């Protein structure tokens, strides 16, 4: 969480820093700030709330410095108040920080004992004060930072600006990503390359433990042993830096409607249509020998994994265990010698997912990562990477990344089945053909938009909403409930339809909408029984199904959202569309901040 920007520019940088921060708002948006050097001296401007508030302040008191750092915050230590907003500065140094300094309490106590006083409740101010003391003791800025970094524990990215040093910025990375951007006589720093999109496409990524001394002429990067190192400069393709809403009101809407296209790209990456086969990259283990698969992830990515459990067990007959990354990493679960671990992450930076990857590797397992950001830490540390080609996802509530994760996992499941001999070449051919139908069917499902918009007016009045599904539609029910909670703030729960009678049915009355996700499959009749149980208690049913399901559902008080009939395998991807649209339209009616819902952040690196 939190986004960092730094610019050593040719002219005034404040407006560019703010532009870059806008591109990082997905990382946090509860306060923001900027520090520049005005006539050689540090000046800080900070504001609570969205970046807009910072912009208003800056329009009243413009900053004109040519060197600047900026920050958009997701609060960890200290409430989202102005005094806790970054940059934190002393007279000599200003710092912005992403991550957590775990030993800040003991460091702070040491400083308090020396008579240092603190203004904020943050861990970050401790870093500013520690560097300040080193500068006060007569050390040069780089020396001061080099003395302080080894004293910090935790995962962080830091950027420093120094009073009187117009051509200097120092950055450090331990656990949280940092990208260095190269310009002509200018240098840039950002939490990711997207932040720097309008300024440069020449990017080098700092590696774990690196710290960098930047001037307008270039950068000197050292690793954690203090040895000067080279980090390759890459040209980031323009498409990867594009961030705009197109004709849509929200990024989330744009990303929902983009799905047929990006699913097409992702499937195109893994399916070979000339031979009707799935083509995965070379994997660093013998696929035939895999006897167990552990899947771990957070949030929406976890639910993609939960769908994959059904696919992998069905196609490859390999038992799968799925676990929330924040549980998996601490549970010290024994991992089978003949097993592999799959981690799933849009950002590739989620702290718990990364820690789970490291745990699995430490247990001697090979780790396959399904990630959307190919330069991310998870992508770099995994033994094999299966990229999702969703493109940058900006809306905090994940949509297209989810369905691209599903598409990738479906291909992986087919490849495992083929390698294991549980799928024949004919089965593989049939599944490839079915998968290739997904983009078209998603486009059909998107036509439900206007109907869902009307239906959402009722949902927006609900206090609680229940989502039910069986089989792979069960994790989709969990995802539907998560999506609604995240962006409309309506309480929602996802349940396996068969569990309804074991508790949640007690909640059902005439005020309770129940969204039932049920393609007309071999367990459809069972779900109809559950719907009857709901209808008998006056619950309002919204049934997401296909034409056959719509005809067979003889239950009172049902509103139907009908998608075309399709092969069972691709249902989770196509049915995700109405589920996402329900959350989106309900949130729009509720008037919430759809792309930046309260208290959330897209990339949870703490
Ligand atoms: C946050 C986001 C979710 C996302 C989860 C995992 O909670 O708000 O949308 O699913 O993190 O993120 P990842 O980048 O690892 O997929």
């Amino acid at each position: 969480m939190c986004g960092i920007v730094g610019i050593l520019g040719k002219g005034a940088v404040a407006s560019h820093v703010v532009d870059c921060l806008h591109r990082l708002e997905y990382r946090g948006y509860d306060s923001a700030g900027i520090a520049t050097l005005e006539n050689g001296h540090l000046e800080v401007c900070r504001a609570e709330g969205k970046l807009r508030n910072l912009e208003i302040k800056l329009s009243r008191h413009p900053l004109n410095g040519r060197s600047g750092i900026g920050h958009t915050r997701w609060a960890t230590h200290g409430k989202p108040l102005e005094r806790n907003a970054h940059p934190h500065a002393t007279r000599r140094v200003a710092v912005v920080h992403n991550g957590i300094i775990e030993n800040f309490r003991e460091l702070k106590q040491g400083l308090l004992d020396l008579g240092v006083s603190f203004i904020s409740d943050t861990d970050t101010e401790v870093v500013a004060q520690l560097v300040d003391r080193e500068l006060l003791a007569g050390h040069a800025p780089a020396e001061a930072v080099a003395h302080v970094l080894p004293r910090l524990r935790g995962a962080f990215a830091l950027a420093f600006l120094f009073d009187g040093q117009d051509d200097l910025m120092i950055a450090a990375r331990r656990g949280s990503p940092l990208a260095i951007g190269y310009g002509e006589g200018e240098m840039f720093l950002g939490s990711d390359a997207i932040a720097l999109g309008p300024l440069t496409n020449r990017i080098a990524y700092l590696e774990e433990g690196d710290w960098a001394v930047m001037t307008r002429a270039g950068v000197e990067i050292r690793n954690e042993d203090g040895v000067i190192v080279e980090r390759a400069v890459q040209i980031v393709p323009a498409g990867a830096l594009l961030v705009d809403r197109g004709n849509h009101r929200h990024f989330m809407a744009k990303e929902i409607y983009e799905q047929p296209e990006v699913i097409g790209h992702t499937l195109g990456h893994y399916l070979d249509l000339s031979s009707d086969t799935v083509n995965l990259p070379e994997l660093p283990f013998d696929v035939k020998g895999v006897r167990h698969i552990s899947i771990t992830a957070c949030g929406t990515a976890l639910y993609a994994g939960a769908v994959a459990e059904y696919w992998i067990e069905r196609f490859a007959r390999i038992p799968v265990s799925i676990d929330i990354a924040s549980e998996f990493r601490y549970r010290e679960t024994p991992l089978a010698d003949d097993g592999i671990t799959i981690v799933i992450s849009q950002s590739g930076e989620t702290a718990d997912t990364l820690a789970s990857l490291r745990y699995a590797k430490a247990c001697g397992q090979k780790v396959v990562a399904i990630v959307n950001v190919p330069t991310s830490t998870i992508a770099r540390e995994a033994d094999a990477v299966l990229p999702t080609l969703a493109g940058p996802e900006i809306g905090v509530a994940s949509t297209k990344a989810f369905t691209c994760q599903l598409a990738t996992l479906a291909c992986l499941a087919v490849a495992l089945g083929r390698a294991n001999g549980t799928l024949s070449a004919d089965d593989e051919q049939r599944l490839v053909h079915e998968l290739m139908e997904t983009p078209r069917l998603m486009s059909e499902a998107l036509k439900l938009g206007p109907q869902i918009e009307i239906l959402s007016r009722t949902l927006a009045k609900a206090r609680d909403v229940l989502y039910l599904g069986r089989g792979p539609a069960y994790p989709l029910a969990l995802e539907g409930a998560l999506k609604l909670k995240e962006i409309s703030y309506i309480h929602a729960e996802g349940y396996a339809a068969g569990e309804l009678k074991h508790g949640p049915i007690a909640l059902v009355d005439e005020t309770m909408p129940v969204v039932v996700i049920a393609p007309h499959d071999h367990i459809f009749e069972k779900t109809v029984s559950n719907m009857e149980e709901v209808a008998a208690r006056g619950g309002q049913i919204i049934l997401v199904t296909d034409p056959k399901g719509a005809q067979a559902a003889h239950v009172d008080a049902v509103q139907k959202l009908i998608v075309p009939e399709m092969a069972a395998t691709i249902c989770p991807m196509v049915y995700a569309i109405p589920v996402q649209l329900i959350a989106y339209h309900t949130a729009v009616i509720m008037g919430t901040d759809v792309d930046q819902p309260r208290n959330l952040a897209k990339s949870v690196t703490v």
Side-chain angles (χ1 to χ4, degrees), residues 148-212:
V148 169
L149 290 177
R151 299 180 61 190
L152 308 178
R153 280 207 315 269
F156 52 79
L158 294 161
F160 301 91
L161 203 60
F162 301 88
D163 197 79
Q165 304 278 346
D166 183 56
D167 193 21
L168 177 68
M169 184 178 299
I170 297 184
R173 177 206 160 127
R174 200 189 296 157
S176 301
L178 271 183
I180 296 203
Y182 291 74
E184 297 300 329
E186 299 179 293
M187 287 296 283
F188 313 105
L189 179 74
S191 290
D192 64 24
I194 292 177
L196 306 179
L199 303 173
T200 183
N201 63 350
R202 289 194 293 142
I203 299 289
Y205 290 93
L206 291 188
E207 297 207 351
E208 214 32 38
D210 283 357
W211 61 286

Side-chain angles (χ1 to χ4, degrees), residues 298-301 344-348 350 353 396-398 405 486 601-602 604:
C298 300
T300 292
I344 309 166
S345 174
Q346 188 284 126
S347 62
T350 301
T353 312
V396 165
S398 185
Q405 286 159 354
E486 280 182 308
K602 187 152 191 70
V604 184

Side-chain angles (χ1 to χ4, degrees), residues 280-299:
L280 294 187
E282 193 73 23
L283 294 173
F285 51 85
D286 177 13
V287 180
K288 281 188 195 144
V290 176
R291 291 285 160 268
H292 188 270
I293 293 180
S294 309
I295 300 181
T296 183
C298 300

